[in-house]
Amino acid sequence: MVSNRKRVLVTGGAGFLGSHLCERLLAAGHDVICLDNFYSGAKDNVVHLMDNPHFELMRHDVTFPLYVEVDEIYNLACPASPIHYQRDPVQTTKTSVHGAINMLGLAKRTKARIFQASTSEVYGDPEIHPQDESYWGRVNPIGIRSCYDEGKRCAETLFFDYWRQHGLEIKVVRIFNTYGPRMHPNDGRVVSNFIVQALRGQDITIYGDGSQTRSFCYVDDLIEGFVRFMDSPKEFTGPVNLGNPGEFTIRELAELVLKKVGGKSKLITMPLPQDDPRQRQPDISLAKRELDWQPRVSLDEGLEKTIAYFRGLMG
Ligand code: NAD
Ligand code: UDP
């Protein structure tokens, strides 16, 4: 029996990030309730944890109230890829907003510390570069990305109001593009798309001219940041950026993936989706200072591991 064993709820636990977080929390000796409605996640992501008596998988939608007894809550439930979150945009906003209200209500009743997976999307298409936490963002409230961006912004508002009004212990993290094993092969995110296309010998689809930038963080680095943040002093509420400041154009990423996978794929261009941010790079000074955290895994190394995963998946 581990003396500091906690009962930890991970919403969205069968998703890409959630499944890695569940693994990490079990390894630290905690009891984990993994909650998911399998909208964009899958049982397969956590099937290897099912035999662990300290792991429990619960099918539930966070837009409905939940009654469990827990010490900590990581609220990750929400589709993260544009294809998934735009498929049912009303549900996306409900998941972010009603989901946050329900999980905050649960935290209030159980006095649990609660963590919110927010996003760099709260900065929208930013006018400042790199983005630090004091920047309020430039977000279109009525576009096709708004269900996600504004849903996440409203969830942040709710977290800070529960903190001010009810004294909840909150932890709000703004996650920048993260990649790694267990990304959904068809969710349209750029890293998984490019790898899957290269492995299949299909054309690699660059949206726009490929000069837009993103900064890619490997999943293990991000999860380390999550746990450090959750365990940090209660006065440190965030919001805090977590991501890898290494910035690449989308064309550079395509070339790197093709070089690593090999094969005959061609780079082709397709129309840029509406409201696609031009530039994105986290300023992680706050995380460095408060959490002594910074990413360790280079894009080169992280891509190797992710490519190996997709190779295995696709036989
Ligand atoms: P994901 O789609 O793989 O995981 C999200 C999980 O939430 C899925 O398992 C899905 O089935 C579940 N879910 C969705 N709606 C739900 C609902 N109403 N009730 C219960 N479960 C629900 O995405 P991910 O990349 O693992 O993202 C996890 C969280 O991190 C999300 O909140 C996302 O917004 C945030 N985030 C991720 C990134 C990234 O680069 N991966 C970047 C910024 C923010
Ligand atoms: N992108 C691309 N080709 C693809 C998928 C995405 O060029 O097949 C681009 C997309 O337009 C965006 C960037 O890659 O500029 C990152 O897209 P993703 O959906 O991964 O994340 P987000 O836009 O939310 O950062």
Side-chain angles (χ1 to χ4, degrees):
M1 168 78 190
V2 181
S3 59
N4 66 347
R5 172 167 287 151
K6 292 181 189 140
R7 298 160 302 174
V8 187
L9 172 67
V10 179
T11 80
F16 161 49
L17 298 180
S19 61
H20 287 274
L21 178 61
C22 288
E23 256 172 21
R24 171 68 194 254
L25 293 169
L26 287 169
H30 299 304
D31 274 318
V32 174
I33 302 177
C34 167
L35 177 153
D36 212 293
N37 70 349
F38 307 116
Y39 178 84
S40 54
K43 277 187 197 157
D44 282 346
N45 287 336
V46 288
V47 75
H48 60 294
L49 305 176
M50 300 281 205
D51 288 339
N52 187 326
H54 297 287
F55 179 77
E56 210 177 320
L57 179 60
M58 181 188 278
R59 182 190 287 267
H60 181 82
D61 186 322
V62 288
T63 62
F64 296 101
L66 175 73
Y67 296 90
V68 289
E69 304 309 314
V70 286
D71 304 305
E72 284 180 353
I73 303 168
Y74 285 86
N75 187 35
L76 272 61
C78 187
S81 88
I83 287 187
H84 281 147
Y85 73 65
Q86 287 167 18
R87 192 169 65 207
D88 188 349
V90 173
Q91 175 66 13
T92 299
T93 303
K94 280 188 190 168
T95 292
S96 278
V97 177
H98 292 187
I101 292 171
N102 287 328
M103 292 308 109
L104 286 161
L106 176 64
K108 186 170 165 230
R109 183 177 65 76
T110 57
K111 300 191 171 45
R113 183 174 277 205
I114 182 165
F115 172 108
Q116 168 66 1
S118 191
T119 167
S120 54
E121 287 284 318
V122 301
Y123 301 126
D125 192 4
E127 302 119 311
I128 67 149
H129 193 73
Q131 295 83 50
D132 71 39
E133 293 84 350
S134 66
Y135 178 53
W136 289 359
R138 187 165 79 106
V139 175
N140 176 358
I142 57 165
I144 56 171
R145 292 176 88 101
S146 313
C147 58
Y148 183 74
D149 301 5
E150 297 290 19
K152 289 285 187 181
R153 287 170 66 96
C154 184
E156 286 201 10
T157 307
L158 283 161
F159 268 69
F160 278 87
D161 282 333
Y162 268 78
W163 171 68
R164 277 186 289 261
Q165 202 175 328
H166 299 300
L168 253 64
E169 291 189 19
I170 62 159
K171 300 276 171 190
V172 176
V173 62
R174 293 182 178 154
I175 305 164
F176 283 66
N177 297 62
T178 301
Y179 69 99
R182 301 201 205 110
M183 291 184 92
H184 195 294
N186 299 324
D187 77 1
R189 281 187 271 191
V190 69
V191 174
S192 45
N193 252 19
F194 286 180
I195 293 176
V196 169
Q197 288 165 343
L199 287 171
R200 288 186 178 143
Q202 296 168 343
D203 292 343
I204 296 189
T205 53
I206 295 177
Y207 301 159
D209 62 5
S211 63
Q212 71 272 33
T213 69
R214 293 293 186 274
S215 307
F216 300 102
C217 184
Y218 187 66
V219 60
D220 291 356
D221 282 334
L222 187 79
I223 300 300
E224 175 65 29
F226 279 13
V227 172
R228 283 191 193 208
F229 185 30
M230 188 59 129
D231 293 343
S232 65
K234 74 168 196 274
E235 294 70 30
F236 184 50
T237 57
V240 61
N241 290 339
L242 292 184
N244 191 323
E247 186 184 6
F248 296 84
T249 67
I250 295 303
R251 184 171 289 278
E252 283 170 335
L253 177 73
E255 285 163 357
L256 189 57
V257 168
L258 188 56
K259 197 173 110 204
K260 287 189 170 298
V261 175
K264 296 196 179 64
S265 298
K266 289 197 303 292
L267 306 188
I268 60 161
T269 54
M270 292 178 65
L272 191 67
Q274 189 194 326
D275 294 337
D276 199 273
R278 286 285 322 147
Q279 262 191 320
R280 195 184 280 155
Q281 185 192 32
D283 179 329
I284 58 164
S285 322
L286 185 62
K288 275 189 183 157
R289 194 168 66 240
E290 296 291 333
L291 307 175
D292 189 23
W293 175 87
Q294 62 181 335
R296 308 262 166 221
V297 182
S298 66
L299 183 61
D300 219 55
E301 193 187 333
L303 281 179
E304 292 288 346
K305 295 183 184 187
T306 312
I307 291 168
Y309 166 78
F310 280 110
R311 262 192 220 286
L313 195 70
M314 293 162 58

